[in-house]
Amino acid sequence: MLETRAIGSKLFSSLVWMKFFLSALKKTILKHRIKVVLLSIVLILWLFCLPKNLFKDPTSTVVDSSEGSLIGARIADDGQWRFPQMDSVPERFKQSILLFEDEYFYNHPGFNPISIIKAIGHNLTKETRRGGSTITQQVIRLSRKNQSRTYWEKLIEVFMATRLELRHSKEEILKLYASHTPYGGNVVGLETAAWRYFGIPAHELSWGQSAALAVLPNAPALIFPGRNEQTFMDKRNRLLKKLWEKEVIDETTYELAIAEPLPQKPMPLPDIAPHLTERIRNEHPGERITTSVQRPLQHRLNLLAERHYRQLQSNEIHNLAILVLDVETRKVLGYVGNSPSAEEHSNYVDIITKKRSTGSTLKPFLFASLLDEGALLPNSLVEDVPTVINGYNPQNFDLKHVGAVPASKALSRSLNVPAVRLLREYGLQKFYNKLHKMEMESLDKPASYYGLSLILGGAESSLWEVTSTYASMASSLNYFLKHSSTYRNQEFTEASYLQNETKDFGEERFDPLVFGAGAIYSTFQSMYEVNRPEGDENWQFFDSSQPIAWKTGTSFGFKDAWAVGVTPKYAIGVWVGNADGEGRPGLTGITAAAPLLFDVLDALPQSGWFQEPFDDLTEIEVCAQSGFRASIYCDDIKKEFVPTHGTRSGACPYHQQVFLDASEKFRVNSECYPLGDMMAKNWLVLPPILEYYYTSSNPNYKPLPPYLDGCSTLENNLMEFIYPKKNEAVLLPKNLGNKTSEIILKLAHQQSDAVVYWYLDETFVGKTENFHELILAIEPGEYVLTAVDNQGNRVQQLVEVRSASGN
């Protein structure tokens, strides 16, 4: 019984203790769970306490040259000079800042307990305040916008600093510190401070300069010229002495460093390509951009721009622009967006990107198009005579005509009339489409909007686009020569100022996208050999030490002067004028822009001349006098390499066989002269109107001999009206009370001794001899004008006469 009770008692006791244990265990587990939850919350807070981007402050736009040197910068949107984060921290500054701020930086986990304890003790016992923050904590404080320095804030900094140490390496934390530390005023970051206070990049700082910038964030107010200089110097020199004592620097370096002057007021930042810098600020705001601009070349271009501006401003020409491209890479080597003029002359406008009338700069593209399709040979004679096309009356710059001129010379002399006639022959829409293939996107209106004036400056484009297009032509020729006679399907790609951007020129192809290499080479050869000013003036500007294919252009009203040229290595574009569009006498491509082009060329290294692309050239026989393919009637024949499709061109249309008498002084025919005594001779015979103008500038041209007396002279093309031109209305001056006004009728005749009888509506109105010009009083109306020579040859034309008043 007793045993039974004892067993029951133990069992009960066990159950009580078991209940107590289970209760205690339950409480322990609950407390542990709470701790785990709390620890989890703390851990989660710790893991996510840092934002993805620690610093969200806007940064300055910084522009470097291809050598990595600063060439311009623009202030951040918040008014601070804050360069984008540094790639690395210079060793001298690193040693200085570690010894001054955080000697155990590489050993602590984000905070230094010993430094914190010393700082608390110092602050509790003394009136001065001492900080115990590590560099990592300072980075956190900077990211939190320098919150009030309370113990709670310090605790937050420690908490976040440990997380920062886990997320970033020590070197990355140093870069954050160096990039975001304030250096007085609106200067933020080491790189910014190095340029603002010493005018050099951070990696070039001396020991004295590095030490000065290391102590400055600790007391930014020290950087105040005339005040606090001794305090500033003492702090810097104590740091330098510490560097010496720690054997970071030797004694000589220490002595030299303490002799260095302190920084004074902030210096202006370099700004040697201001318009490019401003363009980058708009296209890449807040970024540090390494451009392809070559700093030494940019300096030379700036000097040239200033020199030419001083000369041009005497004629009230105030603006200019220069662009230099690398042909192979299409990278910008030099960029002068405007002249160093005053603000009232819009010196802030970046002319390089603005659309202006193209003048004659598109003519080489038409020339190359015609050559490429075999519609023209380089030296074929093209017509330069008074022309009216649907009321459009193009004029040459000098208001003269030469009748017929080699195509290459028409290009080099920039003759407008031949260009318009060739464009009509080639096709306006066809040429417009070709320009779009060349990525000339500024032509954003239909071809009909521009009309035939497209080739004379009726369209607008920018110096950026035009120079890029010339560079693309040169690049296409270079690639053909170096890569097994192939082309690329994206050759016409715009230029780039980004050093690290690789342009995609597309895949190789055997057929050209726009022009064949032969056509490009022939075009460049024409632009090189004969593109020189008329007369003797300004020759000194064009005696360059290296060859260049160049073209000038002048817009209507003397508002824009262009000069664009290419070598195998470089493309140069120059524009001169007034940004507000004001025209000036003498503002022409040849006098205002070309001299600057050649000065720029002389500033560039030698680049030789283009090699002949024989794989896209064919040797043919051409007529030396006319430049066309030689016909059976051409006596003076020479061999010439022409673009491959030049074999499609027609034979010379101007040479024909004529029959002369035994003395070779008169033409004869079978009706008046024995067949056996006739002399057959080949002769260059131009149509009457071409001959009329051609003989005045070509004294060696021999007109056809007259017919022998008694021989028939009836020919269909013996004479031709010069004025009025076909399809052109004659405009009389305003009526001042008289019913009639006088006009001058002009006619070209191949016979110098011919007599011409003039008729108006079959009414005889006069006769002329030798020089066929007739002054005639006439009223407004429509008439049939007829001219008959003394041999019975006739020419007739409908004439419309209108008064300026519209009556």
Side-chain angles (χ1 to χ4, degrees), residues 7 253 428 470 481 692 706 805:
I7 291 171
T253 303
L428 173 63
Y470 274 74
L481 291 165
Y692 176 83
S805 60

Side-chain angles (χ1 to χ4, degrees), residues 145-219:
K145 304 303 178 187
N146 291 314
Q147 300 278 346
S148 57
R149 297 191 178 187
T150 62
Y151 287 111
W152 174 249
E153 181 62 27
K154 285 290 183 182
L155 186 61
I156 293 175
E157 288 176 8
V158 169
F159 185 74
M160 297 178 71
T162 56
R163 180 68 185 93
L164 185 63
E165 289 276 347
L166 184 67
R167 194 168 85 177
H168 293 290
S169 67
K170 291 288 187 180
E171 300 304 321
E172 290 172 335
I173 293 171
L174 273 177
K175 285 190 288 185
L176 287 170
Y177 175 83
S179 299
H180 296 279
T181 304
Y183 282 89
N186 64 346
V187 179
V188 178
L190 173 64
E191 185 69 18
T192 317
W195 278 106
R196 293 288 278 162
Y197 295 133
F198 298 107
I200 57 174
H203 68 270
E204 293 182 9
L205 292 171
S206 65
W207 279 108
Q209 293 166 338
S210 298
L213 293 182
V215 304
L216 190 56
N218 187 260

Side-chain angles (χ1 to χ4, degrees), residues 54 72 383 392 471 486 522 526 545 556 689:
L54 203 58
E383 296 182 11
Y392 177 51
T486 56
S522 298
S526 297
S545 58
F556 179 78
I689 192 167

